Amino acid sequence: MTMNYYVRKAAFYLAALWAAVTLNFVIPRMLPGNPVDILMAKLQQRGGTVDPAARQAYETLLGTGGRDSVFHEYVTYLGNLLRGELGVSVSAFPAKVSDVIAGSLPWTIVLVGLSTLLSFLFGVGLGAVVGWKRGTWLDSLVPATTVLSAVPYFWLALILVALLSTGLGWFPLSGGYDVVLDPGWSAEFIGSAIYHGILPALTIVISSIGGWLLGMRNMMVSAMSEDYVLTARAKGLRDSRIMIRYAARNAVLPSVAGFAISLGFVVSGSIVTELVFSYPGIGSKLLQAVQNNDYALMQGIFLVITIAVLGANLVVDLLYGLIDARTRDRSAVA
Amino acid sequence: MTNLSPLTEVTPEVPRSRNRWRGLLPRWSPRLGAGLGLAGAIVLFGLIGPLLTSDPATIRDIGLTPPSGEHVLGTTVTGQDILAQLALSTRGSLQIGLLVGIMATLLSGVFGIAGAYAGGVVDEVFSLFSNVMLVIPGLPLVIVIAGFVPPDQRGTATISLVLAITGWAAAARVLRAQTLSLRNRDYVAAARVSGEKTWRVICVEILPNLLPILASQFVFAVVLAILSEAGLSFLGLGAANSSTLGTMLYYAQNGFALQREAWWWFVPPGLIIALFGGALALINFSIDEIINPKLRDRARRKRDVVAVLPETAAAEQDAVLTVKNLNVVYQADTPVHAVKDVSLTLRRGEILGLAGESGCGKTTLAYAINRLHRPPAEVTSGSVVFHDRDGEDIDVLALAPEELRAFRWVKLSMVFQGAMNSLNPVTPVRAQLQDVLRTHRSDMSTSDREQQCVEVFRLVGIDPERLGSYPHELSGGMRQRVMIATALLLDPQVMIMDEPTTALDVLVQREILNEIRRLRDELSFAVVFITHDLPLLLELSDRIAVMRDGEVIEYSTAEDLYLRPQHPYTRQLLASFPSLTGERGALIP
Amino acid sequence: MTTLEVRGLTKTFHKLCAVDDVSFTLTPGRTVALVGESGSGKSTIARMIARLVRPTSGEIVLTGQDGEPVPQRKYRDHVQMIFQDPFASLNPFHTVEHHLARPLRLHGRSRAEVPHLLERVSLTPDFAHRRPHELSGGQRQRVAIARALAPGAKVIVADEPVSMLDVSIRLGVLKLLARLQREENLAVLYITHDLATARHFSDEVLVMHRGRIVERGDSDDVLTRPEDPYTRRLAAAAPDPETRFSSARFSRGGPS
């Protein structure tokens, strides 16, 4: 039975991955416009060679306009993906799409990963306390943080920049590091990267913490009326222990299970946030690609973001199997 | 039906209302008022504002003037009036929000409700599809789609459709879960048995009960759509020729409003989005309270006002627990006197039965003895005195919190009705036994603790191997044994058992009862046994108290109660249980 | 009159046999009790007869007054069900009237009969406008009984109709059922875990254990002189104060 849960989860994420890859293949073919011609024109502007091979590479990605069978295109497309060949970027010509992504992905993973983790921990922790201390002044935190999560990420970023960078001069306006430094593993560079990352991270944390807090608080309130909490009180356990081991331990489960939904919002928000800060992450690159009709890069980035999100969700799901023994034994559908 | 909350015992007088919708309306609260007021003001601003303000497109040579009498919110870099732009953009954003909200809710309804009701393969496929749509990040997908559509073909309808397609999945999941639970309700089965058609069952029986959730999901979809559209427009990927709050921010960003410190340009649009989102969130709080009544605001706990009675009469000989004139009141709008002047004495080693029907106050009384009652329940007067083995008298109602904690389970332990729910589902039972020892016997060594757990498991007849099991791996009877084992850990003098066998089948109930009797004989703790099952008490207890409407109406030995019941209600209760062996046919009218 | 015959009824869920080759007949004017513990398959039988669950094999044959089999589409005119939990079997959104008027309309009768239906279950006509949360458990179950009668059903399946009710009103509801059964000459299947009420309110008893009928016969015979070991254990497990105090009753004289 135990295997069942993990096998089922793995199968689900494979299906989701296949859906994303296929979506990526279908979208340019279904929508109006002739992306291949636009790309070739761009390529020419940048001084690229307009040989048939380059055209063919783009056509595999975006559609040949009916010359080859769709099935043939699809197989070639999957083959290229497996080999990691995502084509050549027009906006960063002559760099390959995979190289552009490799250069920017770590920035986003560290920024979004760390801030999501922080916001989850703070949000869930605060939510547990607010739920436990229900009926005290802490209740007013709930509407306050909820309003914060209705604030557009990029607008909050603008306000923070206006206040803390332009106004007070505490943080740099934009960028991922001090441009006079050479990227590398030097203490100076890492310090600069952290310094530049604080405001973008703050934006993400402030915007996303309300959702975690509210969800956890509501589940905490429900869990507190459960019989096992009553039993724990009857047992004479210390309040802190009842709160953590009995109430919060159960209340956190839906938050973890709902991680997928929340992560989608955070990733979406952080893409726009990166633009405000001109952060050298993958969100900025996606926008650069869109603005320059760099379809190959656009698709590559979409795939990579999707894979990263799917991967994160898979990890969370596996973790969920660890913290809730019941799921492992249940034979329900994903 | 195993919720032990004492509140469920009180059935409040429900005001007669002929309006079926009333139950679906949120309860009025300041939060709801603020939310509705704010959202209404913004909607009005979007509806009427554009009619009252000047043409937002008019270009003047007064670029970036700060707010003044003529231009209340200042001007843009090209001298356009910001208030006028704000009104028009608010209307644009609200339109998209509404459009997307409706489409996304429809989509989630089809995939969530219809799929869940149909069940089987349809449900599996729909659910898989929703989950896949859920994990594929929405905005990147929208950006890619918007990126492929040439700007001149990017109309409001296209953008709305794309946002709806990428934004329905989370709601579908919520609706599916709720529909799955509703379709298994008996009233749905009853409608099917009476011959209702499927579409009528969904629309008339299920849908009305989903309305609060649909409303909350709709509100959520509107906020999400406005936020996503703003993000998209801010990136320059919004609908062509549209004016929304997002496009305003796009122009502000590209007009370097931030760098030029023209706060009046970029602050108002974001503020409107935030306020509208916040207002809808406040409305959603109230809707959530309909969906989950536990979330309703509760009065803060007042301290129990206990008029401590001087010990007038000496405690009865051999008593271990004396309850005197205990009163418990639920401090609701109309206070409910749940326990009225109850006096009971529990003798050492005796089994005292507490009989009564739902709402009679028997559970409230049991909880108040150990001060487990929660607000709005309050002990208004009376005393609970525990007479310890060593001769000391403990006034339970006067104990300080820390003393109370040390008193619980050591002197008096409890076994509740739903053993499934009394055990923490996420930890093995060992941890839940160990917890007790760790708290109350902190000087015990790890191996002694383990030894103690093994011992109580043997005592109640469970294989100690089972210590490592999770509650869901045990049968109902087994779980109740685990609870009894836990209750025995600290060798308590009193055990309060609240309907410990009600949820069990007769054969298992018989085993557990025999177990309780045997353990009581061996370990000589006293038991307060609460149940509605009078025959069971007559067989098991030494003395029985019958409760009705918060009062003990008869209190005597089991034999007297059975052979010589005094109160008419006791006689009625006794007559409610036909005998398996007695004469047959007398009951048929 | 309408007779319902169950032949070789079997239901398997995920390879587990919930109901195994069960046969019995419900005839007008007689009550058959189906007794067993939770998980014995008795509720599954109820749901199969009510056509909420499809049998894996076996058949349910309904014979009308004329001795002809009742056509499938008329099945629900004849067979109705009363559910266990009156708090779950009435839709909180709808009034009592809705619960009664719908089945009346669906089976070609007039909603003007609602007050009459309410009277038959000893409720006043003004209950029609109330909603379930305004009713007590016993009142709800009376509405549920009226709903089952609304289509003019002649076969009633009552699945634990009183086990969720307060003890002091259980007998009242059972007596109501017995009265209606006699007045309307109904065929009733009474499903319960309570041997005592099964004995008092039924003519025939079927004892179920793990999906099979282990013992059947006249209710008095089966329950006072059980032959099957499982039935014996069930009968012995029920609380019985009589044994404890019978000697006291003898020595000191019985109650008035």
Side-chain angles (χ1 to χ4, degrees):
Chain A
M1 286 303 251
T2 306
M3 270 316 285
N4 241 342
Y5 173 75
Y6 298 110
V7 169
R8 232 174 32 240
K9 281 293 164 196
F12 168 72
Y13 282 103
L14 275 179
L17 183 63
W18 172 81
V21 165
T22 306
L23 211 56
N24 205 22
F25 174 82
V26 171
I27 287 172
R29 287 167 175 75
M30 271 178 49
L31 293 173
N34 190 351
V36 177
D37 286 346
I38 298 173
L39 265 188
M40 296 314 290
K42 287 257 177 191
L43 201 57
Q44 214 160 11
Q45 279 171 19
R46 306 263 166 151
T49 45
V50 191
D51 55 5
R55 187 175 178 94
Q56 203 191 340
Y58 285 130
E59 283 177 340
T60 310
L61 204 58
L62 305 169
T64 54
R67 210 180 54 238
D68 286 351
S69 76
V70 175
F71 181 73
H72 178 79
E73 284 175 28
Y74 188 57
V75 172
T76 322
Y77 161 81
L78 288 183
N80 283 352
L81 276 190
L82 281 177
R83 285 194 300 277
E85 281 176 23
L86 300 169
V88 175
S89 160
V90 194
S91 58
F93 188 79
K96 286 165 75 177
V97 167
S98 45
D99 293 337
V100 176
I101 292 175
S104 52
L105 188 61
W107 289 98
T108 299
I109 287 192
V110 172
L111 174 70
V112 176
L114 273 183
S115 29
T116 306
L117 200 64
L118 281 178
S119 123
F120 177 79
L121 293 178
F122 278 123
V124 163
L126 273 174
V129 175
V130 172
W132 184 254
K133 301 257 178 202
R134 188 175 172 209
T136 65
W137 64 272
L138 282 170
D139 276 353
S140 52
L141 267 181
V142 178
T145 52
T146 314
V147 172
L148 278 183
S149 52
V151 173
Y153 279 59
F154 60 91
W155 184 72
L156 183 68
L158 289 174
I159 300 292
L160 287 179
V161 168
L163 290 176
L164 302 180
S165 302
T166 321
L168 297 168
W170 288 358
F171 296 101
L173 266 173
S174 65
Y177 54 93
D178 199 338
V179 282
V180 300
L181 298 170
D182 288 325
W185 290 112
S186 66
E188 206 181 4
F189 176 76
I190 292 173
S192 162
I194 292 175
Y195 181 49
H196 280 75
I198 290 178
L199 265 196
L202 197 63
T203 308
I204 298 175
V205 170
I206 292 180
S207 302
S208 55
I209 200 168
W212 298 119
L213 192 149
L214 178 67
M216 183 65 183
R217 181 254 179 196
N218 285 355
M219 286 318 297
M220 196 72 180
V221 168
S222 295
M224 277 160 58
S225 61
E226 293 288 344
D227 292 343
Y228 49 80
V229 171
L230 180 74
T231 309
R233 292 206 301 139
K235 280 181 185 172
L237 303 185
R238 283 180 188 85
D239 271 2
S240 57
R241 195 168 185 86
I242 302 175
M243 174 179 137
I244 296 167
R245 297 288 290 268
Y246 288 75
R249 179 70 173 71
N250 281 284
V252 79
L253 296 176
S255 288
V256 178
F259 190 80
I261 306 169
S262 314
L263 188 64
F265 293 146
V266 177
V267 168
S268 301
S270 56
I271 288 174
V272 197
T273 310
E274 284 190 7
L275 177 76
V276 175
F277 291 99
S278 309
Y279 201 74
I282 209 157
S284 300
K285 285 280 181 284
L286 177 60
L287 300 171
Q288 175 195 323
V290 170
Q291 276 149 10
N292 294 300
N293 294 334
D294 188 350
Y295 300 116
L297 184 57
M298 217 159 87
Q299 290 202 289
I301 290 179
F302 170 68
L303 267 190
V304 166
I305 291 180
T306 306
I307 292 170
V309 169
L310 291 183
N313 278 321
L314 178 61
V315 170
V316 171
D317 271 350
L318 298 185
L319 203 70
Y320 191 89
L322 283 184
I323 59 174
D324 188 355
R326 286 168 297 180
T327 42
R328 280 172 278 159
D329 298 342
R330 218 175 275 151
S331 53
V333 284
Chain B
M1 282 297 105
T2 45
N3 185 0
L4 291 182
S5 159
L7 262 176
T8 54
E9 279 208 312
V10 183
T11 28
E13 280 294 308
V14 184
R16 289 279 302 276
S17 71
R18 304 217 162 171
N19 186 350
R20 62 169 67 171
W21 301 97
R22 183 160 303 168
L24 296 171
L25 289 179
R27 301 196 327 166
W28 187 257
S29 68
R31 267 184 200 171
L32 178 63
L36 284 175
L38 203 52
I42 292 172
V43 169
L44 267 183
F45 177 61
L47 279 179
I48 302 173
L51 307 175
L52 304 179
T53 49
S54 58
D55 181 6
T58 310
I59 293 171
R60 302 176 187 83
D61 56 354
I62 42 165
L64 287 187
T65 37
S68 62
E70 196 182 343
H71 299 284
V72 181
L73 282 176
T75 62
T76 68
V77 73
T78 48
Q80 293 155 315
D81 184 61
I82 288 185
L83 183 65
Q85 285 203 340
L86 197 63
L88 191 68
S89 308
T90 304
R91 176 186 279 187
S93 280
L94 289 177
Q95 268 172 353
I96 289 198
L98 191 67
L99 200 60
V100 177
I102 292 172
M103 287 195 288
T105 309
L106 282 178
L107 279 172
S108 58
V110 168
F111 285 99
I113 303 175
Y117 186 78
V121 182
V122 179
D123 180 39
E124 302 253 340
V125 171
F126 278 16
S127 156
L128 179 70
F129 183 56
S130 315
N131 282 330
V132 167
M133 286 303 286
L134 193 63
V135 287
I136 293 178
L139 194 68
L141 182 60
V142 176
I143 291 175
V144 169
I145 295 176
F148 274 111
V149 182
D152 51 328
Q153 297 180 31
R154 244 177 5 228
T156 308
T158 316
I159 293 294
S160 303
L161 189 67
V162 172
L163 286 176
I165 288 174
T166 52
W168 58 271
R173 202 156 95 152
V174 176
L175 287 172
R176 173 175 180 262
Q178 189 62 23
T179 309
L180 280 181
S181 121
L182 285 177
R183 77 185 272 257
N184 288 329
R185 301 272 161 97
D186 280 348
Y187 59 77
V188 172
R192 286 169 61 200
V193 171
S194 59
E196 295 277 20
K197 298 216 164 34
T198 302
W199 69 268
R200 245 199 105 96
V201 173
I202 294 185
C203 295
V204 179
E205 305 293 332
I206 292 184
L207 214 50
N209 291 295
L210 281 174
L211 280 179
I213 290 188
L214 272 172
S216 118
Q217 294 302 327
F218 172 74
V219 165
F220 192 66
V222 170
V223 177
L224 182 66
I226 291 178
L227 282 173
S228 305
E229 193 282 331
L232 215 52
S233 292
F234 181 68
L235 303 175
L237 292 169
N241 303 322
S242 71
S243 316
T244 65
L245 297 165
T247 50
M248 244 186 115
L249 285 164
Y250 171 74
Y251 287 118
Q253 170 82 344
N254 287 349
F256 298 101
L258 187 62
Q259 287 79 352
R260 300 186 189 179
E261 301 187 3
W263 56 266
W264 58 89
W265 195 0
F266 68 82
V267 170
L271 206 57
I272 295 247
I273 299 180
L275 289 179
F276 191 65
L280 293 190
L282 289 176
I283 296 174
N284 245 354
F285 278 133
S286 302
I287 302 177
D288 278 349
E289 286 178 2
I290 310 176
I291 301 169
N292 183 0
K294 285 177 187 169
L295 296 176
R296 282 185 189 158
D297 273 335
R298 240 177 14 188
R300 286 184 205 186
R301 171 152 203 182
K302 287 181 229 148
R303 281 211 63 82
D304 288 332
V305 197
V306 180
V308 182
L309 296 173
E311 282 296 296
T312 42
E316 211 174 306
Q317 186 104 52
D318 225 18
V320 62
L321 190 72
T322 311
V323 177
K324 221 170 241 158
N325 305 108
L326 193 69
N327 283 282
V328 183
V329 178
Y330 285 92
Q331 304 287 14
D333 295 335
T334 42
V336 179
H337 207 150
V339 174
K340 293 176 195 154
D341 245 357
V342 167
S343 298
L344 293 170
T345 306
L346 180 67
R347 294 195 196 119
R348 221 160 265 289
E350 120 178 297
I351 297 183
L352 171 65
L354 208 51
E357 299 185 273
S358 62
C360 74
K362 56 191 195 300
T363 298
T364 308
L365 170 63
Y367 288 7
I369 289 174
N370 204 6
R371 281 172 60 187
L372 279 173
H373 59 286
R374 276 184 282 197
E378 262 178 47
V379 173
T380 50
S381 67
S383 73
V384 176
V385 179
F386 181 88
H387 315 284
D388 206 355
R389 255 184 218 130
D390 57 19
E392 189 197 351
D393 280 359
I394 301 172
D395 182 353
V396 180
L397 296 181
L399 289 177
E402 225 10 53
E403 295 167 335
L404 176 66
R405 210 180 51 63
F407 167 80
R408 285 176 177 166
W409 220 258
V410 177
K411 311 284 184 202
L412 183 154
S413 63
M414 299 180 85
V415 175
F416 299 101
Q417 175 179 5
M420 183 69 208
N421 307 326
S422 301
L423 290 165
N424 187 352
V426 293
T427 48
V429 291
R430 171 184 280 114
Q432 302 179 48
L433 271 78
Q434 295 261 3
D435 248 2
V436 172
L437 296 172
R438 231 183 274 269
T439 306
H440 296 288
R441 299 270 190 276
S442 48
D443 51 341
M444 231 175 173
S445 73
T446 315
S447 60
D448 283 353
R449 276 205 295 264
E450 177 69 16
Q451 191 51 44
Q452 178 80 1
C453 294
V454 168
E455 203 167 295
V456 288
F457 259 50
R458 290 227 175 89
L459 211 50
V460 299
I462 318 179
D463 181 358
E465 290 277 305
R466 289 296 199 156
L467 275 168
S469 300
Y470 284 90
H472 71 271
E473 297 167 340
L474 305 172
S475 68
M478 196 83 98
R479 285 194 291 263
Q480 202 53 288
R481 282 170 193 264
V482 170
M483 277 318 294
I484 295 172
T486 315
L488 290 171
L489 268 174
L490 303 174
D491 187 22
Q493 296 163 54
V494 176
M495 204 180 282
I496 295 180
M497 304 186 135
D498 184 15
E499 304 260 14
T501 60
T502 304
L504 303 174
D505 272 323
V506 270
L507 291 180
V508 185
Q509 164 173 309
R510 172 56 55 193
E511 287 170 23
I512 298 278
L513 289 179
N514 291 343
E515 209 70 48
I516 291 171
R517 215 171 353 210
R518 180 178 65 80
L519 290 167
R520 196 274 311 248
D521 291 347
E522 277 175 31
L523 306 171
S524 66
F525 48 83
V527 177
V528 179
F529 197 106
I530 302 165
T531 181
H532 64 276
D533 192 343
L534 195 52
L536 189 159
L537 285 185
L538 287 167
E539 193 195 299
L540 180 78
S541 349
D542 300 303
R543 287 190 297 168
I544 295 174
V546 180
M547 281 188 79
R548 189 176 68 167
D549 293 338
E551 278 174 290
V552 172
I553 53 145
E554 187 155 359
Y555 181 29
S556 63
T557 63
E559 187 184 317
D560 278 346
L561 200 84
Y562 183 62
L563 299 176
R564 287 167 291 278
Q566 300 300 313
H567 197 281
Y569 179 67
T570 311
R571 283 200 282 271
Q572 189 198 338
L573 269 188
L574 282 169
S576 299
F577 294 92
S579 160
L580 188 54
T581 47
E583 198 182 327
R584 181 172 172 266
L587 292 168
I588 307 274
Chain C
M1 292 309 286
T2 317
T3 305
L4 186 132
E5 194 183 348
V6 169
R7 288 188 207 134
L9 205 58
T10 300
K11 177 72 193 176
T12 47
F13 292 110
H14 307 291
K15 293 180 188 160
L16 281 171
C17 202
V19 175
D20 188 4
D21 194 18
V22 167
S23 306
F24 57 85
T25 307
L26 302 178
T27 47
R30 276 177 72 84
T31 299
V32 175
L34 194 57
V35 174
E37 295 186 282
S38 58
S40 62
K42 55 192 195 312
S43 278
T44 309
I45 291 181
R47 287 179 175 257
M48 283 191 281
I49 295 177
R51 299 213 158 167
L52 290 167
V53 172
R54 208 182 292 272
T56 310
S57 67
E59 53 183 352
I60 298 166
V61 183
L62 192 63
T63 314
Q65 211 158 356
D66 48 6
E68 295 291 313
V70 173
Q72 294 298 308
R73 64 191 164 79
K74 291 272 179 195
Y75 187 87
R76 289 193 155 139
D77 290 350
H78 294 262
V79 181
Q80 284 294 315
M81 176 166 172
I82 299 163
F83 294 83
Q84 174 176 16
D85 184 357
F87 291 86
S89 73
L90 300 182
N91 191 334
F93 184 77
H94 293 298
T95 58
V96 168
E97 183 175 28
H98 169 96
H99 284 99
L100 301 182
R102 281 304 303 168
L104 282 173
R105 292 253 290 269
L106 282 165
H107 298 275
R109 302 170 73 174
S110 155
R111 66 187 303 148
E113 284 183 55
V114 168
H116 174 59
L117 269 178
L118 285 170
E119 272 166 33
R120 274 164 72 197
V121 294
S122 315
L123 291 174
T124 49
D126 68 298
F127 273 90
H129 300 289
R130 300 203 194 174
R131 292 203 290 138
H133 71 269
E134 299 168 281
L135 309 182
S136 70
Q139 291 165 342
R140 283 162 181 248
Q141 201 59 308
R142 283 167 197 269
V143 172
I145 293 172
R147 170 174 59 191
L149 295 176
K154 291 296 173 194
V155 179
I156 299 283
V157 179
D159 185 6
E160 300 262 14
V162 296
S163 66
M164 304 290 269
L165 302 178
D166 262 333
V167 286
S168 61
I169 55 172
R170 286 182 186 173
L171 284 184
V173 171
L174 285 176
K175 283 177 183 169
L176 170 72
L177 262 178
R179 195 193 80 211
L180 290 168
Q181 188 243 33
R182 205 183 46 215
E183 286 173 6
E184 320 249 335
N185 206 20
L186 302 173
V188 175
L189 179 65
Y190 171 48
I191 295 178
T192 184
H193 65 274
D194 180 18
L195 301 186
T197 56
R199 175 167 170 258
H200 288 281
F201 288 95
S202 70
D203 306 290
E204 187 186 343
V205 165
L206 313 172
V207 182
M208 279 199 83
H209 183 46
R210 297 191 181 161
R212 307 192 69 112
I213 291 177
V214 293
E215 188 165 3
R216 66 199 306 164
D218 176 79
S219 59
D220 215 26
D221 290 347
V222 169
L223 296 173
T224 48
R225 290 173 295 279
E227 308 220 318
D228 180 80
Y230 176 74
T231 317
R232 275 192 210 155
R233 278 173 62 212
L234 269 188
D240 183 17
E242 189 58 31
T243 350
R244 181 179 175 189
F245 299 117
S246 58
S247 56
R249 193 197 289 272
F250 261 118
S251 55
R252 296 201 220 162
S256 50

